[in-house]
Amino acid sequence: MTNEAQYTPSDPAHETALPRPSRRKLLGTVAAASGLAVGAAAGLAGGIALGADSNPPDAAVQTPLAASGLRRFENKTVLITGATSGIGAAAARLFAAEGGRVAFCGRRTERGRAVEREIREAGGEATYFRADVLVEEEVRTFVDAAVNTYGGLHVAFNNAGITIQKKLHEYSAEDFDRVVHTNLRGTFLAMKYEVPHMLRSGGGTIVVTSSSNALATDSGRGAYTASKRGLVGLVQSAALDYAADGIRVNALVPGTTDTELVRRAAGMESLPDDAWQVLMKQWAGSNVPGLGRLATAHEIASFALTLASPEHPYLTGAQLVIDGGKTAHA
């Protein structure tokens, strides 16, 4: 496989991307998975058995608005960027399940409408707005439309991000700018237009999705790592800017999460699901020394709700890691 750019739209979210494996390793994995699948005919679904427990079932997919018994965001306006799939979409479902009025954006209209419809059919309140965080006017329009639709602004989950993976000297200036402008500048623009509405609402809370790459990274991720580490600094400074105004700002630092972004960045969009699960189990066994598996989007989104909730009024300016032990390893 060539070490080509892996561009991911601004809505899946920005959890750690996997390295692109060699063609030889991939073909070996697929062959093993295929062989195991043949063995399943004799009574053991080998490929599935090896891969199935690499992640627990994602409750957000099984039951989109599964009742948690909590209503922490009742009658609160919640804004989410990058929520047509992955962590953002899971968060939209969960915020709505807890009574939030959810306004979310992304560039893929069909996907956005599907998430909106799913939430409404399950009894939640959500509205999709098409917006690209690269475009300042679209960000401003989205934030203003969310406030006009639901009134006030109480919670923002700034989650949009992309990755392009290649060695540093192989980036074009356009590649580098696209990643940094989406992940870092896009978050700045969202906060720039969210904060005035929160000030008028008497306060609020902002959660920003960074990445475990901000703490410990790997080759081929220069632009991504720079942008994600920059987000931590942005969060810390903003937390100090607005603490006296009742606005808390924190960074969510997820490890590698089983989402569309990760699958695309690894060049595995066409790989059968069973083979993908086998590969992920093998990869996580060596690269996530704690729990030895990838996170689910539901798990990361649930933590975003915890950070956004009113349960921790003393929490601001923090970077909170949820990576299964990945960065605990020296």
Side-chain angles (χ1 to χ4, degrees):
M1 292 185 182
T2 60
N3 191 24
E4 62 185 4
Q6 291 299 310
Y7 166 67
T8 302
S10 61
D11 30 44
H14 16 227
E15 60 279 3
T16 307
L18 298 172
R20 291 168 64 83
S22 68
R23 180 178 296 275
R24 178 177 296 177
K25 180 176 180 181
L26 173 58
L27 291 177
T29 300
V30 174
S34 300
L36 287 168
V38 171
L44 176 63
I48 296 175
L50 278 176
D53 64 342
S54 63
N55 277 313
D58 190 335
V61 173
Q62 293 182 327
T63 52
L65 293 184
S68 65
L70 299 176
R71 303 290 288 182
R72 293 174 292 182
F73 304 98
E74 192 80 59
N75 298 320
K76 300 293 185 183
T77 299
V78 179
L79 183 152
I80 308 174
T81 66
T84 62
S85 67
I87 294 170
R93 298 181 186 103
L94 291 174
F95 275 115
E98 291 202 24
R101 302 182 299 248
V102 179
F104 67 98
C105 77
R107 300 187 309 165
R108 296 176 295 177
T109 301
E110 185 176 342
R111 298 287 291 272
R113 295 298 183 202
V115 174
E116 174 190 273
R117 183 168 57 252
E118 178 187 350
I119 291 173
R120 290 184 175 183
E121 289 176 353
E125 180 56 46
T127 301
Y128 164 73
F129 298 88
R130 190 199 178 283
D132 185 344
V133 298
L134 283 171
V135 183
E136 180 172 2
E137 183 59 23
E138 292 187 17
V139 176
R140 184 192 65 78
T141 299
F142 164 56
V143 175
D144 288 348
V147 172
N148 290 336
T149 299
Y150 290 125
L153 181 59
H154 309 97
V155 175
F157 181 30
N158 295 322
N159 176 70
I162 65 168
T163 184
I164 295 176
Q165 295 187 187
K166 54 175 64 175
K167 291 183 178 180
L168 188 65
H169 76 281
E170 295 173 347
Y171 281 103
S172 66
E174 182 181 7
D175 287 338
F176 193 89
D177 286 348
R178 191 168 191 88
V179 174
V180 174
H181 286 181
T182 300
N183 298 355
L184 183 56
R185 181 176 179 270
T187 298
F188 153 71
L189 289 175
M191 292 172 66
K192 173 180 172 63
Y193 293 108
E194 291 159 358
V195 165
H197 290 294
M198 288 188 173
L199 292 173
R200 286 190 284 273
S201 295
T205 183
I206 298 173
V207 177
V208 172
T209 306
S210 180
S211 167
S212 59
N213 280 277
L215 306 179
T217 192
D218 204 345
S219 60
R221 301 176 188 171
Y224 185 77
T225 298
S227 67
K228 293 303 182 178
R229 188 165 293 187
L231 283 174
V232 173
L234 181 67
V235 162
Q236 291 173 333
S237 183
L240 299 179
D241 284 343
Y242 303 110
D245 300 302
I247 299 175
R248 297 186 299 107
V249 190
N250 291 289
L252 170 67
V253 183
T256 309
T257 306
D258 193 357
T259 65
E260 178 183 320
L261 179 145
V262 168
R263 195 157 179 168
R264 182 182 293 116
M268 302 291 181
E269 302 98 311
S270 61
L271 190 69
D273 287 344
D274 292 349
W276 168 254
Q277 290 298 322
V278 171
L279 182 62
M280 289 306 93
K281 184 175 179 63
Q282 292 175 345
W283 182 89
S286 299
N287 292 275
V288 186
L291 297 183
R293 65 173 178 83
L294 275 62
T296 68
H298 180 87
E299 287 173 314
I300 304 303
S302 295
F303 194 46
L305 265 71
T306 297
L307 301 187
S309 78
E311 297 174 349
H312 307 288
Y314 201 60
L315 182 64
T316 196
Q319 48 182 318
L320 294 110
V321 180
I322 175 169
D323 69 354
K326 180 169 175 263
T327 58
H329 188 260

